[in-house]
Amino acid sequence: MSTYIIHGGRKLQGEAYVSGSKNASLPILAASILNKGITRLYNVPDIHDTKVMIDILRYLGCKVKKNHDKITIDARCITRYEIPEELMRKMRSSVILAGALLGRTGKATFSYPGGCDIGARPIDLHLKAFEKLGINISENTGFITCICDTILGEKIHLDFPSVGATENAILAATLAKNTTIISNAAMEPEIVDLQNFLNKMGAKIEGAGTSEIIIKGVSSLKDQGYKIMPDRIEAGTLLCCTAATAGHIILKNACAEHLTPVLDKLQECGCNVEIRKNEIELKAPKKLQGIEIKTMPYPGFPTDMQAIFLSMLTVAKGTSVITENIFENRYKYTAELKRMGAKIIIEGKTAIVKGVRKLSGASVSATDLRGGAALVLAGLIASGKTKIDKIEYILRGYENLDKKLSNLGAKITKEVV
Ligand code: EPZ
């Protein structure tokens, strides 16, 4: 088990580079199976989740070479179509491989990904989309087997704009016979990146970024290279860490248009934000102003920023009200923040945060990926020393977070035990 040790109270200032997006890399790595050839990806973050995805691709028969952020996938030979349970359990989002395996081989077997620390995380919308495409689904002892001779394009309406279900439907439909139309599709930027990647490989997809996506099935894809988009949640995290410490940052490789709701809320808290090409500059006030936040599907305020923003607001002026509308159990980390002196009341989907003068360092445990990042931010602003254990959660989604924060002036070290 590894830990972070943070000595708080230091202002963050300087420049930081945003890594490639975890949530764009995972579906694009899965999508590489659709190409019976060699796919080259650039700007893939070196994090736990991409490592797990690469392990699964190798298990399925792909030859994968990794050279820092450059990943080459040779998917000419797929020898298996079941995703091993232990790998499914390591990373729930491996369910995204089902659509790619079905698109490539017409078969996919996987275990229920199981809930995690932020909610039940069902996959009913994924399975309903597959059924619409003519895929037969059977379940037995916790395993789901999907099988079909030919995937026939269809109209798919999603009851909820699920990111994963939208991505899985796109992957299953890319090589289908005729056309698939997904309505009430998720509009996240990561889905646009997936569309751009697949179209560069010869797919015929349009509408990603809107609620209606049209996929004209093609017979095959071709070898190509593709650069993954920047990670908008890492960018938001670094901006909030800087804002919380009354600091000043120039964020490079950042895509401001993916962060509009987050930048708007940072300005509402009193930060000065300047946007330049691939750069975001933020200067924070001495004390932030408390605000209201409601998480919504994109282009609303992202649920993945809820924990980090709430942590920042624990020392803001006045009272803040946060409403989590996407996941049903995404406040677990607040118990750890209270151990540091935060004043937080949870009432159902709503968190009421009364700003305190300062937090005090303590020993706390990460509960999930973004909740863990919230504790790192709290450690940066707390007086004294904070020890965060179970940081494996954080290492799943942030590349070199401690190094990036140290380069900005934070006193943070990682202890691997
Ligand atoms: C993706 O998860 C992201 N993960 C999540 O980021 C992100 O929080 C989420 O989208 C929402 O933006 C990846 O891209 C790898 P959903 P996903 O399907 O696809 C319910 C992070 O921290 N739902 O849009 O699993 C579900 O329970 C992670 O980087 C169903 O009910 O999210 C949730 O309440 C966390 N049935 C809501 O929809 C389904 O079949 C949104 O889930 C699918 C989802």
Side-chain angles (χ1 to χ4, degrees), residues 22-24 26-27 49 91-96 116 118-127 160-167 186 188 190 231-233 296-298 302-304 325-328 330 368-370 396-398:
K22 165 178 88 82
N23 291 350
L26 296 174
D49 276 11
M91 186 181 63
R92 304 177 16 82
S93 40
S94 36
V95 67
I96 203 72
C116 65
I118 61 175
R121 311 291 295 274
I123 58 169
D124 55 309
L125 300 176
H126 299 239
L127 300 179
F160 179 87
S162 153
V163 171
T166 302
E167 291 167 344
E188 272 70 3
E190 291 77 19
D231 192 310
R232 60 191 169 105
I233 306 302
M296 295 300 281
Y298 195 89
T303 175
D304 292 348
N325 291 310
I326 307 294
F327 288 104
E328 72 274 19
R330 205 163 196 181
D368 58 85
L369 167 56
R370 307 302 174 184
R396 285 189 47 200
Y398 288 95

Side-chain angles (χ1 to χ4, degrees), residues 165-380:
T166 302
E167 291 167 344
N168 243 337
I170 290 172
L171 296 179
T174 295
L175 302 175
K177 294 267 173 287
N178 59 51
T179 298
T180 298
I181 299 174
I182 306 170
S183 57
N184 197 28
M187 302 193 275
E188 272 70 3
E190 291 77 19
I191 293 171
V192 178
D193 217 33
L194 177 63
Q195 171 182 283
N196 294 343
F197 164 71
L198 287 168
N199 283 348
K200 196 173 176 195
M201 308 258 287
K204 288 190 173 54
I205 306 169
E206 57 187 64
T210 74
S211 60
E212 181 167 282
I213 301 175
I214 300 167
I215 304 112
K216 290 191 180 71
V218 294
S219 54
S220 65
L221 298 179
K222 58 185 191 297
D223 294 2
Q224 269 296 348
Y226 189 76
K227 183 177 181 189
I228 303 286
M229 64 175 254
D231 192 310
R232 60 191 169 105
I233 306 302
E234 184 203 21
T237 303
L238 293 169
L239 290 169
C240 287
C241 287
T242 304
T245 60
H248 174 196
I249 187 171
I250 295 178
L251 210 45
K252 304 267 191 185
N253 292 358
C255 180
E257 67 179 275
H258 293 162
L259 278 162
T260 304
V262 175
L263 299 179
D264 283 358
K265 287 296 176 184
L266 283 165
Q267 287 170 310
E268 206 180 313
C269 292
C271 294
N272 180 287
V273 174
E274 271 192 49
I275 295 167
R276 293 184 289 273
K277 189 167 169 19
N278 297 329
E279 247 186 40
I280 300 172
E281 180 170 11
L282 176 140
K283 287 179 190 150
K286 269 180 77 57
K287 195 106 174 126
L288 296 167
Q289 176 55 50
I291 56 169
E292 272 205 46
I293 289 173
K294 289 183 171 57
T295 68
M296 295 300 281
Y298 195 89
F301 188 90
T303 175
D304 292 348
M305 285 302 302
Q306 176 256 100
I308 295 131
F309 232 90
L310 185 151
S311 184
M312 182 182 77
L313 293 169
T314 58
V315 293
K317 279 183 274 190
T319 299
S320 298
V321 180
I322 292 100
T323 308
E324 171 57 59
N325 291 310
I326 307 294
F327 288 104
E328 72 274 19
N329 185 25
R330 205 163 196 181
Y331 288 126
K332 276 180 81 172
Y333 66 93
T334 56
E336 300 300 302
L337 287 178
K338 286 184 200 172
R339 291 164 56 81
M340 300 174 73
K343 294 265 181 286
I344 305 166
I345 298 167
I346 305 292
E347 287 175 358
K349 302 200 304 186
T350 301
I352 298 156
V353 183
K354 191 175 178 327
V356 295
R357 199 176 59 77
K358 64 170 20 185
L359 299 180
S360 309
S363 288
V364 292
S365 292
T367 54
D368 58 85
L369 167 56
R370 307 302 174 184
L375 297 179
V376 170
L377 184 149
L380 295 173

